[in-house]
Amino acid sequence: MESKGLRGFPLNYQERRIYHWHEELDRRIGKSDVAERLQVPERLADWVTDESPAPVPAEPAET
């Protein structure tokens, strides 16, 4: 679809996971070992954070 008003579609969560896996696969193989026309451009870096997830509180023990 080509339009001056359409700049693309946002990816949903599952599509981002698939795209991330393709990026990661290129990194694991090695960018130099993947033909340039087959490389997936890294576009998800802005969405990745290095923050640790919040700790999950322990469930109370049954008495």
Side-chain angles (χ1 to χ4, degrees), residues 6 10 14 33:
L6 179 64
Q14 293 299 329
D33 294 330

Side-chain angles (χ1 to χ4, degrees), residues 17-36:
R17 288 184 62 173
I18 293 167
Y19 198 91
H20 175 266
W21 170 240
H22 287 269
E23 285 182 7
E24 181 62 25
L25 193 56
D26 283 358
R27 281 191 290 274
R28 289 182 187 200
I29 293 172
K31 288 281 191 178
S32 60
D33 294 330
V34 178
E36 187 174 338

Side-chain angles (χ1 to χ4, degrees), residues 19 23 26 31 38-44:
Y19 198 91
E23 285 182 7
D26 283 358
K31 288 281 191 178
L38 299 176
Q39 291 180 8
V40 177
E42 293 187 19
R43 297 185 176 158
L44 300 176

